[in-house]
């Protein structure tokens, strides 16, 4: 796949230490979407209810907010990956 540079940059920024994913992006591998999807965590891209309760009980509301924001960003990246895949599939098909 031909990933736009801004998408590559945002994925690398979101996952700065995931060097295998960086290499897949640079090669244009399709597995990027599966990798992002498998790393969403929680309940379909969100934070598991038990994690929410744990953080609230510990008084870590800022940490909870940080995790929620990361989940939203990552789900947006996955949805963007799907749009890229679909647009490139339409061109071929």
């Amino acid at each position: 796949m031909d990933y736009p540079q801004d998408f590559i940059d945002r994925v690398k920024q979101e996952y700065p230490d995931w060097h295998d994913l960086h290499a897949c992006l640079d090669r244009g591998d399709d597995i990027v979407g599966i990798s992002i999807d498998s790393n969403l965590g929680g309940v379909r891209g969100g934070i598991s209810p038990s994690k929410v309760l744990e953080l609230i009980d510990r008084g870590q509301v800022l940490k909870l907010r940080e995790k929620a924001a990361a989940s939203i960003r990552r789900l947006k990246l996955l949805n963007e990956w799907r749009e890229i895949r679909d647009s490139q599939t339409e061109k071929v098909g």
Side-chain angles (χ1 to χ4, degrees):
M1 290 187 21
D2 184 21
Y3 296 116
Q5 189 60 48
D6 66 316
F7 175 76
I8 292 171
D9 294 342
R10 283 184 280 114
V11 173
K12 287 181 178 183
Q13 182 178 2
E14 186 64 36
Y15 301 100
D17 299 321
W18 196 352
H19 302 292
D20 290 339
L21 179 61
H22 298 184
C24 290
L25 282 162
D26 293 338
R27 286 192 304 267
D29 291 350
D30 290 344
I31 199 157
V32 168
I34 295 168
S35 299
I36 294 171
D37 190 27
S38 68
N39 197 265
L40 288 175
V43 179
R44 192 66 207 128
I47 305 166
S48 70
S50 60
K51 189 66 173 176
V52 169
L53 293 175
E54 175 190 330
L55 292 171
I56 289 172
D57 289 345
R58 291 182 177 175
Q60 297 180 336
V61 178
L62 291 178
K63 181 136 185 152
L64 176 60
R65 186 182 194 297
E66 178 184 308
K67 288 189 169 293
S71 292
I72 290 168
R73 287 191 312 270
R74 291 171 180 188
L75 191 54
K76 284 181 180 179
L77 287 171
L78 177 61
N79 288 334
E80 186 176 350
W81 176 85
R82 289 178 176 146
E83 290 173 9
I84 293 167
R85 177 202 58 200
D86 292 349
S87 72
Q88 293 184 15
T89 302
E90 290 172 3
K91 289 178 186 175
V92 173

